Amino acid sequence: MSPTLTTIGLLCLSNMFMLFAWYGHLKTMSAKPWIIAALVSWGIALFEYLLQVPANRIGHTVMNVGQLKILQEVITLSLFVPFAVFYLKEPLKLDYLWAGLCILGAVYFIFRSEF
């Protein structure tokens, strides 16, 4: 598998862990003290790092750090919107579209030498 596809796959998986680490406790642990939620989130984040660190190392063989960061932001927003809407039951807002268009502009500028 190509380094780019491997990186994208690992970053998607790591992002799913991070979404639960950062936001999952809002639904599942809202009655618990924040310190408990923080410790559980920290444990979940460990698995995120076990995927994210190799993803960035592999990705850095074919992309620069700026490209890796923008790729991460694209993946984050692509996974965050369905997570927020379907898991956290947040309303779907047009602002997500505008944010996506801004990130699309960032993709253009950071990868334009590749186009």
Side-chain angles (χ1 to χ4, degrees):
M1 185 179 287
S2 78
T4 302
L5 290 178
T6 301
T7 299
I8 291 169
L10 288 171
L11 288 176
C12 286
L13 292 171
S14 75
N15 235 283
M16 288 307 299
F17 279 103
M18 211 58 204
L19 285 171
F20 280 97
W22 285 357
Y23 305 108
H25 62 87
L26 297 174
K27 180 177 181 178
T28 61
M29 303 184 81
S30 60
K32 303 274 187 202
W34 73 266
I35 191 70
I36 300 298
L39 291 172
V40 169
S41 293
W42 190 44
I44 294 169
L46 170 65
F47 294 102
E48 186 267 342
Y49 280 103
L50 292 174
L51 295 166
Q52 176 266 334
V53 170
N56 282 334
R57 285 179 173 233
I58 293 166
H60 196 250
T61 66
V62 292
M63 289 178 259
N64 64 47
V65 175
Q67 291 170 328
L68 281 169
K69 180 60 182 168
I70 296 302
L71 176 61
Q72 175 64 42
E73 295 303 329
V74 168
I75 291 168
T76 297
L77 187 60
S78 298
L79 296 176
F80 173 77
V81 173
F83 179 84
V85 171
F86 296 113
Y87 184 75
L88 295 177
K89 306 296 185 207
E90 294 284 325
L92 181 61
K93 296 181 179 181
L94 202 52
D95 290 341
Y96 293 135
L97 174 63
W98 306 136
L101 290 174
C102 288
I103 289 180
L104 187 60
V107 167
Y108 169 76
F109 286 111
I110 205 73
F111 286 98
R112 69 179 156 176
S113 65
E114 309 293 324
F115 295 131

